[in-house]
Structure formats: C-alpha cells, structure tokens
Coordinates of all heavy atoms in Angstrom, one line a residue:
M1 N 43.9 222.7 78.6 CA 43.9 222.9 77.2 C 44.5 221.7 76.5 O 44.2 221.5 75.3 CB 44.8 224.1 76.8 CG 44.2 225.5 77.3 SD 42.5 225.8 76.8 CE 42.7 226.1 75.1
T2 N 45.3 220.9 77.2 CA 45.8 219.7 76.6 C 44.7 218.8 76.1 O 44.8 218.3 75.0 CB 46.7 219.0 77.7 OG1 47.8 219.8 78.1 CG2 47.3 217.7 77.1
F3 N 43.7 218.6 76.9 CA 42.6 217.7 76.5 C 41.9 218.3 75.3 O 41.6 217.6 74.3 CB 41.6 217.5 77.6 CG 40.7 216.3 77.4 CD1 41.1 215.0 77.5 CD2 39.4 216.6 77.0 CE1 40.2 214.0 77.3 CE2 38.5 215.6 76.7 CZ 38.9 214.2 76.9
A4 N 41.7 219.6 75.3 CA 41.0 220.2 74.2 C 41.8 220.2 72.9 O 41.2 220.0 71.8 CB 40.7 221.7 74.5
W5 N 43.1 220.3 73.0 CA 43.9 220.3 71.8 C 44.2 218.9 71.2 O 44.4 218.8 70.0 CB 45.3 221.0 72.1 CG 45.2 222.4 72.3 CD1 44.2 223.3 72.0 CD2 46.2 223.2 73.0 NE1 44.5 224.6 72.3 CE2 45.7 224.6 73.0 CE3 47.4 223.0 73.6 CZ2 46.5 225.6 73.5 CZ3 48.1 224.0 74.1 CH2 47.7 225.3 74.1
Y6 N 44.3 217.9 72.0 CA 44.7 216.6 71.6 C 43.8 215.5 71.7 O 43.9 214.5 71.0 CB 46.0 216.2 72.3 CG 47.1 217.2 72.0 CD1 47.5 218.1 73.1 CD2 47.8 217.3 70.8 CE1 48.5 219.0 72.9 CE2 48.7 218.3 70.6 CZ 49.1 219.1 71.6 OH 50.1 220.0 71.4
S7 N 42.8 215.5 72.5 CA 41.9 214.4 72.7 C 41.1 214.0 71.4 O 40.8 212.8 71.2 CB 40.9 214.6 73.9 OG 40.0 215.6 73.6
H8 N 40.8 215.0 70.6 CA 40.1 214.7 69.4 C 40.9 213.7 68.4 O 40.3 213.1 67.6 CB 39.7 216.0 68.6 CG 40.8 216.7 68.1 ND1 41.4 216.5 66.9 CD2 41.5 217.8 68.7 CE1 42.4 217.3 66.7 NE2 42.5 218.1 67.8
L9 N 42.2 213.7 68.6 CA 43.0 212.8 67.8 C 42.7 211.4 68.1 O 42.8 210.5 67.2 CB 44.5 213.1 68.0 CG 45.0 214.5 67.6 CD1 46.4 214.7 67.9 CD2 44.7 214.7 66.1
K10 N 42.3 211.1 69.3 CA 41.9 209.7 69.7 C 40.4 209.5 69.6 O 40.0 208.5 69.1 CB 42.4 209.5 71.1 CG 42.2 208.1 71.6 CD 42.8 207.8 73.0 CE 42.5 206.4 73.4 NZ 43.2 206.2 74.7
N11 N 39.6 210.5 70.1 CA 38.2 210.3 70.2 C 37.4 210.5 68.9 O 36.4 209.9 68.7 CB 37.6 211.2 71.3 CG 38.2 210.8 72.7 OD1 38.6 209.7 72.9 ND2 38.4 211.8 73.5
L12 N 37.8 211.5 68.1 CA 37.0 211.9 67.0 C 37.8 211.8 65.7 O 37.6 212.5 64.7 CB 36.6 213.4 67.2 CG 35.8 213.7 68.4 CD1 35.6 215.2 68.5 CD2 34.4 213.0 68.4
N13 N 38.7 210.8 65.6 CA 39.6 210.7 64.5 C 38.8 210.3 63.2 O 39.3 210.7 62.1 CB 40.6 209.6 64.8 CG 41.8 209.7 63.9 OD1 42.1 210.7 63.4 ND2 42.5 208.6 63.8
D14 N 37.6 209.7 63.4 CA 36.8 209.4 62.2 C 35.8 210.4 61.8 O 35.1 210.2 60.9 CB 36.1 208.0 62.4 CG 35.2 208.1 63.6 OD1 35.4 208.9 64.5 OD2 34.3 207.2 63.7
K15 N 35.8 211.5 62.5 CA 34.8 212.6 62.3 C 35.5 213.7 61.4 O 36.7 213.9 61.4 CB 34.3 213.2 63.6 CG 33.7 212.3 64.5 CD 32.4 211.8 64.1 CE 31.8 210.9 65.1 NZ 30.8 210.0 64.6
P16 N 34.7 214.6 60.8 CA 35.3 215.7 60.0 C 36.0 216.7 61.0 O 35.6 216.7 62.2 CB 34.1 216.4 59.4 CG 33.0 215.4 59.4 CD 33.2 214.5 60.6
W17 N 36.9 217.4 60.4 CA 37.7 218.3 61.3 C 36.9 219.4 62.0 O 37.2 219.8 63.1 CB 38.8 219.0 60.4 CG 38.3 220.0 59.5 CD1 37.9 219.8 58.2 CD2 38.0 221.4 59.8 NE1 37.5 221.0 57.6 CE2 37.5 222.0 58.6 CE3 38.0 222.2 60.9 CZ2 37.0 223.3 58.5 CZ3 37.6 223.5 60.8 CH2 37.1 224.0 59.6
W18 N 35.8 219.8 61.4 CA 35.0 220.9 62.0 C 34.2 220.4 63.2 O 34.0 221.1 64.1 CB 34.0 221.5 60.9 CG 33.1 220.6 60.3 CD1 33.2 219.8 59.2 CD2 31.7 220.3 60.8 NE1 32.1 219.1 58.9 CE2 31.2 219.3 59.9 CE3 31.0 220.7 61.8 CZ2 29.9 218.8 60.0 CZ3 29.7 220.2 62.0 CH2 29.2 219.3 61.1
I19 N 33.9 219.1 63.2 CA 33.3 218.5 64.5 C 34.3 218.5 65.6 O 34.0 218.8 66.7 CB 32.7 217.1 64.2 CG1 31.4 217.3 63.3 CG2 32.3 216.4 65.5 CD1 30.8 216.0 62.9
A20 N 35.5 218.1 65.2 CA 36.6 218.1 66.2 C 36.9 219.5 66.7 O 37.1 219.7 67.9 CB 37.9 217.5 65.6
A21 N 36.8 220.5 65.8 CA 37.0 221.9 66.2 C 36.0 222.3 67.2 O 36.3 223.0 68.2 CB 37.1 222.8 65.0
L22 N 34.7 222.0 66.9 CA 33.6 222.4 67.8 C 33.7 221.8 69.2 O 33.6 222.4 70.2 CB 32.3 222.1 67.2 CG 31.9 222.9 66.0 CD1 30.6 222.4 65.4 CD2 31.7 224.4 66.4
F23 N 34.1 220.5 69.1 CA 34.3 219.8 70.4 C 35.4 220.4 71.2 O 35.3 220.7 72.4 CB 34.7 218.3 70.0 CG 35.1 217.4 71.2 CD1 34.2 216.9 72.1 CD2 36.4 217.1 71.4 CE1 34.6 216.1 73.1 CE2 36.8 216.3 72.4 CZ 35.9 215.8 73.3
S24 N 36.6 220.7 70.5 CA 37.7 221.3 71.2 C 37.4 222.7 71.7 O 37.8 223.1 72.8 CB 38.9 221.3 70.3 OG 39.3 220.0 70.0
W25 N 36.7 223.5 70.9 CA 36.3 224.8 71.3 C 35.4 224.8 72.6 O 35.5 225.7 73.4 CB 35.6 225.6 70.2 CG 36.6 226.0 69.1 CD1 38.0 226.0 69.1 CD2 36.2 226.3 67.8 NE1 38.5 226.4 67.9 CE2 37.4 226.6 67.1 CE3 35.0 226.4 67.1 CZ2 37.4 226.9 65.7 CZ3 35.0 226.8 65.8 CH2 36.2 227.1 65.1
G26 N 34.5 223.8 72.6 CA 33.6 223.7 73.8 C 34.4 223.4 75.1 O 34.2 224.0 76.1
I27 N 35.4 222.6 75.0 CA 36.3 222.3 76.1 C 37.1 223.5 76.5 O 37.3 223.9 77.6 CB 37.2 221.1 75.9 CG1 36.3 219.8 75.7 CG2 38.2 220.9 77.0 CD1 37.1 218.6 75.2
A28 N 37.7 224.1 75.4 CA 38.5 225.3 75.6 C 37.8 226.5 76.3 O 38.3 227.2 77.1 CB 39.2 225.7 74.3
L29 N 36.5 226.6 75.9 CA 35.7 227.7 76.5 C 35.6 227.5 78.0 O 35.8 228.4 78.8 CB 34.3 227.8 75.9 CG 33.4 228.8 76.5 CD1 33.9 230.2 76.4 CD2 32.0 228.7 75.9
F30 N 35.3 226.3 78.4 CA 35.2 226.0 79.9 C 36.6 226.3 80.5 O 36.6 226.9 81.6 CB 34.8 224.5 80.1 CG 34.9 224.1 81.5 CD1 34.0 224.5 82.4 CD2 35.9 223.2 81.9 CE1 34.0 224.2 83.7 CE2 36.0 222.9 83.3 CZ 35.0 223.3 84.2
E31 N 37.7 225.9 79.9 CA 39.0 226.1 80.5 C 39.3 227.6 80.6 O 39.9 228.0 81.6 CB 40.1 225.3 79.8 CG 39.9 223.8 80.0 CD 41.0 223.0 79.3 OE1 42.0 223.6 78.8 OE2 40.9 221.8 79.3
Y32 N 38.9 228.3 79.6 CA 39.2 229.8 79.6 C 38.4 230.5 80.7 O 38.8 231.5 81.2 CB 38.9 230.4 78.2 CG 40.0 230.4 77.3 CD1 39.9 229.7 76.1 CD2 41.2 231.0 77.6 CE1 41.0 229.7 75.2 CE2 42.3 231.0 76.7 CZ 42.2 230.3 75.5 OH 43.2 230.3 74.7
L33 N 37.2 229.9 80.9 CA 36.3 230.5 82.0 C 37.1 230.4 83.4 O 36.8 231.2 84.3 CB 35.0 229.8 82.1 CG 34.0 230.1 80.9 CD1 32.8 229.3 81.0 CD2 33.7 231.6 80.8
L34 N 37.9 229.4 83.5 CA 38.7 229.2 84.7 C 40.1 230.0 84.6 O 40.5 230.6 85.6 CB 39.0 227.8 85.0 CG 37.8 226.9 85.2 CD1 38.2 225.4 85.3 CD2 37.0 227.3 86.4
Q35 N 40.7 230.0 83.4 CA 42.0 230.5 83.3 C 42.0 232.1 83.4 O 42.9 232.6 84.0 CB 42.6 230.1 81.9 CG 43.9 230.8 81.5 CD 45.1 229.8 81.7 OE1 44.9 228.6 81.8 NE2 46.3 230.4 81.8
V36 N 41.1 232.7 82.8 CA 41.1 234.2 82.8 C 41.0 234.7 84.2 O 41.8 235.6 84.6 CB 40.0 234.8 81.8 CG1 39.9 236.3 82.0 CG2 40.4 234.4 80.4
P37 N 40.1 234.3 85.0 CA 40.0 234.8 86.4 C 41.3 234.4 87.2 O 41.8 235.2 88.0 CB 38.8 234.1 87.0 CG 37.9 233.7 85.9 CD 38.9 233.5 84.7
A38 N 41.8 233.2 86.9 CA 43.0 232.8 87.6 C 44.2 233.7 87.3 O 45.0 234.1 88.2 CB 43.3 231.3 87.3
N39 N 44.3 234.1 86.0 CA 45.4 235.0 85.7 C 45.2 236.4 86.3 O 46.2 237.0 86.7 CB 45.5 235.2 84.1 CG 46.2 234.0 83.5 OD1 47.0 233.3 84.1 ND2 46.0 233.8 82.2
R40 N 44.0 236.8 86.3 CA 43.7 238.1 86.9 C 44.1 238.2 88.4 O 44.7 239.1 89.0 CB 42.3 238.6 86.7 CG 42.1 238.9 85.2 CD 40.6 239.4 85.0 NE 40.4 240.7 85.6 CZ 40.6 241.9 84.9 NH1 40.9 241.9 83.7 NH2 40.3 243.0 85.6
I41 N 43.7 237.1 89.1 CA 44.0 236.9 90.5 C 45.5 236.8 90.7 O 46.1 237.4 91.6 CB 43.2 235.8 91.2 CG1 41.7 236.1 91.2 CG2 43.7 235.5 92.6 CD1 40.8 234.9 91.5
G42 N 46.1 235.9 89.9 CA 47.5 235.6 90.0 C 48.4 236.9 89.7 O 49.5 237.0 90.3
N43 N 47.9 237.8 88.8 CA 48.6 239.0 88.5 C 48.7 239.9 89.7 O 49.5 240.8 89.6 CB 47.9 239.6 87.3 CG 48.8 240.7 86.6 OD1 50.0 240.5 86.5 ND2 48.2 241.8 86.3
T44 N 47.9 239.7 90.7 CA 48.1 240.6 91.9 C 49.3 240.2 92.7 O 49.8 241.1 93.4 CB 46.8 240.5 92.8 OG1 46.7 239.2 93.3 CG2 45.6 240.9 92.1
E45 N 49.8 239.0 92.5 CA 51.0 238.5 93.2 C 52.2 238.3 92.4 O 53.4 238.4 92.8 CB 50.7 237.2 94.0 CG 49.6 237.4 95.1 CD 50.0 238.3 96.2 OE1 51.2 238.2 96.6 OE2 49.2 239.0 96.7
L46 N 52.0 237.9 91.1 CA 53.1 237.5 90.2 C 53.1 238.5 89.0 O 52.1 239.0 88.7 CB 52.9 236.1 89.7 CG 52.8 235.0 90.8 CD1 52.4 233.7 90.2 CD2 54.1 234.9 91.6
D47 N 54.3 238.6 88.4 CA 54.3 239.4 87.2 C 54.0 238.5 86.0 O 53.9 237.3 86.1 CB 55.6 240.2 87.0 CG 56.8 239.3 86.8 OD1 56.7 238.2 86.2 OD2 57.9 239.7 87.3
L48 N 53.9 239.1 84.8 CA 53.4 238.4 83.6 C 54.4 237.3 83.2 O 53.9 236.2 82.9 CB 53.3 239.4 82.4 CG 52.6 238.9 81.2 CD1 51.2 238.4 81.6 CD2 52.5 240.0 80.2
G49 N 55.7 237.5 83.3 CA 56.6 236.4 83.0 C 56.5 235.2 83.9 O 56.5 234.1 83.5
Q50 N 56.3 235.5 85.2 CA 56.1 234.5 86.2 C 54.8 233.7 85.9 O 54.8 232.4 86.0 CB 56.1 235.0 87.6 CG 57.4 235.5 88.0 CD 57.4 236.3 89.3 OE1 56.4 236.9 89.7 NE2 58.5 236.3 90.1
L51 N 53.8 234.4 85.6 CA 52.5 233.7 85.3 C 52.7 232.8 84.0 O 52.2 231.6 84.1 CB 51.4 234.7 85.0 CG 50.7 235.4 86.2 CD1 49.8 236.5 85.7 CD2 50.0 234.3 87.0
K52 N 53.4 233.2 83.0 CA 53.6 232.4 81.8 C 54.4 231.2 82.1 O 54.1 230.1 81.7 CB 54.2 233.3 80.7 CG 54.5 232.5 79.5 CD 53.1 232.0 78.9 CE 53.4 231.2 77.6 NZ 52.2 230.5 77.1
I53 N 55.5 231.3 82.9 CA 56.3 230.2 83.2 C 55.6 229.2 84.1 O 55.6 228.0 83.9 CB 57.6 230.6 83.9 CG1 58.5 231.4 82.9 CG2 58.4 229.4 84.5 CD1 58.9 230.6 81.7
L54 N 54.8 229.7 85.0 CA 53.9 228.8 85.8 C 52.9 228.0 84.9 O 52.8 226.8 85.2 CB 53.2 229.7 86.9 CG 52.4 228.9 87.9 CD1 53.3 228.0 88.7 CD2 51.7 229.9 88.9
Q55 N 52.4 228.7 83.9 CA 51.5 228.0 83.0 C 52.2 226.9 82.3 O 51.7 225.8 82.1 CB 50.9 229.0 82.0 CG 50.0 228.3 81.0 CD 50.0 229.0 79.7 OE1 50.6 230.1 79.5 NE2 49.3 228.4 78.7
E56 N 53.4 227.2 81.9 CA 54.2 226.1 81.1 C 54.5 224.9 82.0 O 54.5 223.8 81.6 CB 55.5 226.8 80.5 CG 55.2 227.8 79.5 CD 54.4 227.3 78.3 OE1 54.5 226.1 78.0 OE2 53.7 228.1 77.7
V57 N 54.9 225.2 83.3 CA 55.1 224.1 84.2 C 53.9 223.2 84.4 O 53.9 222.0 84.3 CB 55.6 224.7 85.6 CG1 55.6 223.6 86.6 CG2 56.9 225.3 85.4
I58 N 52.7 223.9 84.6 CA 51.5 223.1 84.7 C 51.1 222.4 83.4 O 50.7 221.2 83.5 CB 50.3 224.1 85.1 CG1 50.6 224.7 86.5 CG2 49.0 223.4 85.1 CD1 49.7 225.8 86.9
T59 N 51.4 223.0 82.3 CA 51.1 222.4 81.0 C 51.9 221.1 80.9 O 51.4 220.0 80.5 CB 51.4 223.3 79.8 OG1 50.5 224.5 80.0 CG2 51.2 222.6 78.5
L60 N 53.2 221.2 81.2 CA 54.1 220.0 81.0 C 53.7 218.9 82.1 O 53.7 217.7 81.7 CB 55.5 220.4 81.2 CG 56.6 219.2 80.9 CD1 56.4 218.7 79.4 CD2 57.9 219.7 81.1
A61 N 53.3 219.4 83.3 CA 52.9 218.4 84.3 C 51.6 217.7 83.9 O 51.4 216.5 84.3 CB 52.8 219.1 85.6
V62 N 50.8 218.3 83.2 CA 49.5 217.7 82.7 C 49.8 216.9 81.4 O 49.3 215.8 81.2 CB 48.5 218.7 82.5 CG1 47.2 218.2 81.8 CG2 48.0 219.4 83.8
F63 N 50.6 217.4 80.5 CA 50.8 216.8 79.2 C 51.5 215.5 79.3 O 51.1 214.5 78.6 CB 51.7 217.8 78.3 CG 51.9 217.2 76.9 CD1 50.9 217.3 76.0 CD2 53.2 216.7 76.6 CE1 51.1 216.8 74.7 CE2 53.4 216.2 75.3 CZ 52.4 216.2 74.4
V64 N 52.5 215.3 80.1 CA 53.2 214.0 80.1 C 52.3 212.9 80.6 O 52.2 211.9 79.9 CB 54.5 214.1 81.0 CG1 55.1 212.8 81.2 CG2 55.5 215.1 80.3
P65 N 51.6 213.0 81.7 CA 50.7 211.9 82.0 C 49.6 211.7 81.0 O 49.2 210.6 80.7 CB 50.1 212.3 83.4 CG 51.0 213.3 83.9 CD 51.7 214.0 82.8
F66 N 49.1 212.8 80.4 CA 48.0 212.7 79.4 C 48.5 211.9 78.2 O 47.9 211.0 77.7 CB 47.6 214.1 78.9 CG 46.7 214.1 77.7 CD1 45.3 213.9 77.9 CD2 47.2 214.3 76.5 CE1 44.5 213.9 76.8 CE2 46.3 214.3 75.4 CZ 45.0 214.1 75.6
V67 N 49.8 212.2 77.7 CA 50.3 211.5 76.6 C 50.6 210.0 76.9 O 50.3 209.1 76.1 CB 51.6 212.1 76.1 CG1 52.4 211.3 75.2 CG2 51.3 213.5 75.5
V68 N 51.1 209.7 78.1 CA 51.5 208.4 78.4 C 50.2 207.5 78.7 O 50.1 206.4 78.2 CB 52.5 208.4 79.6 CG1 52.7 206.9 80.1 CG2 53.7 209.0 79.2
F69 N 49.3 208.0 79.6 CA 48.2 207.2 80.0 C 46.9 207.3 79.2 O 46.3 206.3 79.0 CB 47.9 207.6 81.5 CG 49.0 207.3 82.4 CD1 49.6 208.3 83.1 CD2 49.4 206.0 82.7 CE1 50.7 208.1 84.0 CE2 50.4 205.7 83.5 CZ 51.1 206.8 84.2
Y70 N 46.6 208.5 78.6 CA 45.4 208.6 77.8 C 45.6 208.3 76.4 O 44.9 207.6 75.7 CB 44.8 210.0 78.0 CG 43.5 210.2 77.4 CD1 42.3 209.7 78.0 CD2 43.3 210.8 76.2 CE1 41.1 209.8 77.4 CE2 42.1 210.9 75.6 CZ 41.0 210.4 76.2 OH 39.8 210.5 75.6
M71 N 46.7 208.9 75.8 CA 47.0 208.7 74.4 C 47.9 207.4 74.1 O 48.2 207.1 73.0 CB 47.7 209.9 73.8 CG 46.8 211.2 73.9 SD 45.3 211.1 73.0 CE 46.0 211.3 71.3
D72 N 48.3 206.7 75.2 CA 49.0 205.5 75.0 C 50.3 205.6 74.2 O 50.7 204.8 73.4 CB 48.1 204.4 74.4 CG 46.9 204.0 75.2 OD1 47.0 204.0 76.5 OD2 45.9 203.8 74.6
Q73 N 51.0 206.7 74.5 CA 52.3 207.0 73.8 C 53.4 206.6 74.8 O 53.2 206.7 76.0 CB 52.4 208.4 73.4 CG 51.4 208.9 72.4 CD 51.6 208.3 71.1 OE1 52.7 208.3 70.6 NE2 50.6 207.8 70.4
P74 N 54.6 206.2 74.3 CA 55.6 205.8 75.2 C 56.2 207.1 75.9 O 56.2 208.2 75.4 CB 56.7 205.2 74.3 CG 56.4 205.8 73.0 CD 54.9 206.0 72.9
L75 N 56.7 206.9 77.2 CA 57.4 207.9 77.9 C 58.7 208.1 77.3 O 59.5 207.1 77.1 CB 57.5 207.5 79.4 CG 58.1 208.5 80.3 CD1 57.3 209.8 80.4 CD2 58.3 207.9 81.7
K76 N 59.1 209.3 77.0 CA 60.4 209.6 76.3 C 61.3 210.4 77.2 O 60.9 211.2 78.0 CB 60.1 210.4 75.0 CG 59.3 209.7 74.0 CD 59.1 210.5 72.8 CE 58.4 209.7 71.7 NZ 58.2 210.5 70.5
L77 N 62.6 210.1 77.0 CA 63.6 210.9 77.8 C 63.5 212.4 77.5 O 63.9 213.2 78.3 CB 65.0 210.3 77.5 CG 66.1 210.7 78.4 CD1 65.8 210.4 79.9 CD2 67.4 210.0 78.0
D78 N 63.0 212.7 76.3 CA 62.9 214.1 75.9 C 62.0 214.9 76.8 O 62.2 216.1 77.0 CB 62.4 214.2 74.5 CG 63.4 213.8 73.4 OD1 64.6 213.7 73.8 OD2 63.0 213.5 72.3
Y79 N 61.1 214.2 77.4 CA 60.2 214.9 78.4 C 61.0 215.3 79.6 O 60.7 216.4 80.2 CB 59.0 214.0 78.8 CG 58.1 213.6 77.7 CD1 57.4 212.4 77.7 CD2 57.9 214.4 76.6 CE1 56.6 212.0 76.7 CE2 57.1 214.0 75.6 CZ 56.4 212.8 75.6 OH 55.6 212.4 74.6
L80 N 61.9 214.5 80.0 CA 62.8 214.9 81.2 C 63.6 216.1 80.8 O 63.7 217.1 81.6 CB 63.7 213.7 81.5 CG 64.8 214.1 82.6 CD1 64.1 214.5 83.9 CD2 65.7 212.9 82.8
W81 N 64.2 216.1 79.6 CA 65.0 217.3 79.2 C 64.2 218.5 79.1 O 64.6 219.6 79.5 CB 65.7 217.0 77.9 CG 66.6 215.8 77.8 CD1 66.6 214.8 76.8 CD2 67.5 215.3 78.8 NE1 67.4 213.8 77.2 CE2 68.0 214.1 78.4 CE3 67.9 215.8 80.0 CZ2 69.0 213.4 79.1 CZ3 68.9 215.1 80.8 CH2 69.4 213.9 80.3
A82 N 63.0 218.4 78.6 CA 62.0 219.6 78.6 C 61.7 220.1 80.0 O 61.7 221.3 80.2 CB 60.8 219.2 77.8
A83 N 61.5 219.2 80.9 CA 61.2 219.5 82.3 C 62.4 220.3 82.9 O 62.2 221.2 83.6 CB 60.8 218.3 83.1
L84 N 63.6 219.8 82.6 CA 64.8 220.5 83.1 C 65.0 221.9 82.6 O 65.4 222.8 83.3 CB 66.0 219.6 82.9 CG 66.1 218.3 83.7 CD1 67.3 217.5 83.2 CD2 66.2 218.6 85.1
C85 N 64.7 222.0 81.3 CA 64.7 223.4 80.7 C 63.7 224.3 81.3 O 64.0 225.5 81.6 CB 64.5 223.3 79.2 SG 65.8 222.5 78.2
I86 N 62.5 223.8 81.6 CA 61.5 224.6 82.2 C 61.9 224.9 83.6 O 61.6 226.0 84.1 CB 60.1 224.0 82.1 CG1 59.7 224.0 80.6 CG2 59.1 224.6 83.0 CD1 58.3 223.4 80.3
L87 N 62.5 224.0 84.3 CA 63.0 224.2 85.7 C 64.0 225.3 85.7 O 64.0 226.2 86.6 CB 63.6 222.9 86.3 CG 64.0 223.0 87.7 CD1 62.9 223.3 88.6 CD2 64.7 221.7 88.1
G88 N 64.9 225.4 84.7 CA 65.8 226.5 84.6 C 65.1 227.8 84.4 O 65.4 228.8 84.9
A89 N 64.1 227.8 83.5 CA 63.3 229.0 83.3 C 62.6 229.5 84.5 O 62.5 230.7 84.8 CB 62.2 228.7 82.2
V90 N 62.1 228.5 85.3 CA 61.5 228.9 86.6 C 62.5 229.5 87.5 O 62.2 230.6 88.1 CB 60.9 227.6 87.3 CG1 60.5 227.9 88.7 CG2 59.7 227.1 86.5
Y91 N 63.7 229.0 87.6 CA 64.7 229.6 88.4 C 65.0 231.0 88.0 O 65.0 231.9 88.8 CB 66.0 228.8 88.3 CG 67.2 229.5 89.0 CD1 67.3 229.6 90.4 CD2 68.1 230.1 88.2 CE1 68.3 230.2 90.9 CE2 69.2 230.8 88.8 CZ 69.3 230.8 90.1 OH 70.3 231.5 90.7
F92 N 65.2 231.3 86.7 CA 65.6 232.6 86.3 C 64.4 233.6 86.4 O 64.6 234.8 86.7 CB 66.1 232.6 84.8 CG 67.5 232.0 84.7 CD1 67.7 230.8 84.1 CD2 68.5 232.6 85.3 CE1 68.9 230.2 84.0 CE2 69.8 232.1 85.2 CZ 70.0 230.9 84.6
V93 N 63.2 233.2 86.2 CA 62.1 234.1 86.3 C 61.7 234.4 87.7 O 61.3 235.6 88.0 CB 60.9 233.5 85.5 CG1 59.6 234.3 85.7 CG2 61.2 233.5 84.0
F94 N 61.9 233.5 88.6 CA 61.4 233.7 90.0 C 62.5 234.1 90.9 O 62.2 234.5 92.0 CB 60.8 232.4 90.5 CG 59.3 232.2 90.1 CD1 59.0 231.5 89.0 CD2 58.3 232.8 90.8 CE1 57.7 231.3 88.5 CE2 57.0 232.6 90.4 CZ 56.7 231.9 89.3
R95 N 63.8 234.1 90.4 CA 64.8 234.6 91.4 C 64.7 236.1 91.6 O 64.2 236.9 90.8 CB 66.2 234.3 90.8 CG 66.6 235.1 89.6 CD 67.9 234.7 89.1 NE 68.2 235.4 87.9 CZ 69.4 235.6 87.4 NH1 70.4 235.1 88.0 NH2 69.5 236.2 86.2
T96 N 65.1 236.5 92.8 CA 64.9 237.9 93.1 C 66.2 238.7 93.1 O 67.3 238.2 93.1 CB 64.3 238.1 94.6 OG1 65.1 237.3 95.5 CG2 62.9 237.6 94.6

C-alpha cells in the first residue's frame, strides 16, 4: 500500500488528482487481492490484534526504505523511535 499511497507524489505530480487516484486504486486493488486472502489464512493462527500489529511492522519495514531510496528523503531518527514503539506493541500483543 505504501507504493499506492505515495508513489504518485513523485511519478504523477504534474497530473490531475483523479489520474493519481485511478493509478493508486489500480495498485491498491492488486495489493488487496493479496492482503485479503493473507488475512483470512493468518486469522487461523493469529488473533485480530496480532494481525494488525504484524501489518504495522511490515508497513514500517517497507515504508522506511521506500522513503529513503525511492522518494529520496533523508533517514530520520524518528523512524527508529517509531520502530521501537512498534516493537513494544509487538511484545504486548504477542506475549502469552
């Protein structure tokens, strides 16, 4: 979803918003075709809170390299703090 949500800011910046929306929706549809079955399969082993935290971990793991390498933004210390907060969330959600 990171690419669908943010890539148009770099690739389609000179296009009308509705073209960017169609472009992003096309990418998002493909990603949803993968995400929905993955959640249904994952729900057989994990509860809903665990699935959500896992999604956030994956999102941050994808977002930081995307921002730094694709969008050419500087790496910020705030990303480390965000990762530590999510690590804490992982601990609390997955502890037994």
Side-chain angles (χ1 to χ4, degrees):
M1 295 307 288
T2 298
F3 194 79
W5 287 343
Y6 299 108
S7 68
H8 65 87
L9 297 174
K10 182 175 182 177
N11 298 329
L12 302 173
N13 203 22
D14 59 339
K15 304 288 185 206
W17 70 266
W18 60 271
I19 291 177
L22 290 174
F23 173 77
S24 295
W25 290 342
I27 295 170
L29 175 63
F30 173 72
E31 292 183 9
Y32 273 119
L33 291 174
L34 299 175
Q35 174 104 17
V36 171
N39 278 337
R40 292 182 67 95
I41 293 166
N43 195 40
T44 62
E45 297 294 324
L46 304 172
D47 65 34
L48 192 57
Q50 291 170 329
L51 281 174
K52 181 59 181 171
I53 293 300
L54 188 58
Q55 178 211 356
E56 295 302 330
V57 169
I58 293 167
T59 298
L60 187 61
V62 170
F63 181 75
V64 171
F66 174 81
V67 166
V68 172
F69 296 115
Y70 187 79
M71 298 297 285
D72 299 320
Q73 298 290 314
L75 184 62
K76 296 181 179 181
L77 194 55
D78 290 343
Y79 300 149
L80 172 64
W81 305 134
L84 290 174
C85 289
I86 290 180
L87 184 61
V90 168
Y91 170 75
F92 286 113
V93 169
F94 280 92
R95 70 182 173 158
T96 52

